[in-house]
Amino acid sequence: MTSLAQIGILVLQTLGGLYLLIVLLRFLLQVARADFYNPLSQFIAKATNPALLPLRRVIPGLFGLDLACLVLALAVQFVTVFLCLLMAGVFNPLTALLWGALGIASMVTYIYFACMIA
């Protein structure tokens, strides 16, 4: 793998991970019933609304959980992993889906761990 591909993978993982963090924070803040007048909550809502509002028209909530947010998180992680695998020369969508689900679980664990430390 060339160094240019490694740089591309690093940039893609960083940007995809940051957006995934924002999407999962929105989901977790909704589950915790956080105040959305907080400036941090306002930023998270404004950053995720363009991608989330069209999904909410198609995917309804279930038992007070925003399933559209979870689908968006899975889509963001899937696309990130899939493009990284393509840059590495591997083409396997099933592997990307599995790593996407594991990446979401890892990010949620990281968020909870960071909140316990803070």
Side-chain angles (χ1 to χ4, degrees):
M1 181 167 31
T2 66
S3 62
L4 189 60
Q6 290 176 345
I7 293 170
I9 289 171
L10 178 67
V11 168
L12 190 62
Q13 284 178 339
T14 302
L15 294 177
L18 285 175
Y19 196 70
L20 177 66
L21 176 67
I22 292 171
V23 171
L24 287 176
L25 279 176
R26 179 173 180 142
F27 175 75
L28 293 173
L29 287 173
Q30 287 175 345
V31 169
R33 308 252 191 255
D35 182 26
F36 274 92
Y37 293 109
N38 185 344
L40 180 64
S41 298
Q42 289 290 318
F43 165 73
I44 290 172
K46 287 180 183 177
T48 56
N49 272 345
L52 195 59
L53 291 180
L55 279 176
R56 281 194 177 152
R57 292 186 195 127
V58 179
I59 302 169
L62 181 68
F63 301 118
L65 295 177
D66 189 10
L67 293 182
C69 201
L70 289 178
V71 169
L72 178 62
L74 184 62
V76 166
Q77 185 67 12
F78 173 77
V79 168
T80 302
V81 170
F82 186 71
L83 290 176
C84 288
L85 286 175
L86 280 180
M87 285 184 185
V90 178
F91 179 76
N92 193 348
L94 187 61
T95 302
L97 186 64
L98 177 66
W99 280 109
L102 288 174
I104 289 173
S106 171
M107 183 67 78
V108 168
T109 305
Y110 175 75
I111 291 170
Y112 277 119
F113 180 72
C115 288
M116 285 180 11
I117 296 294

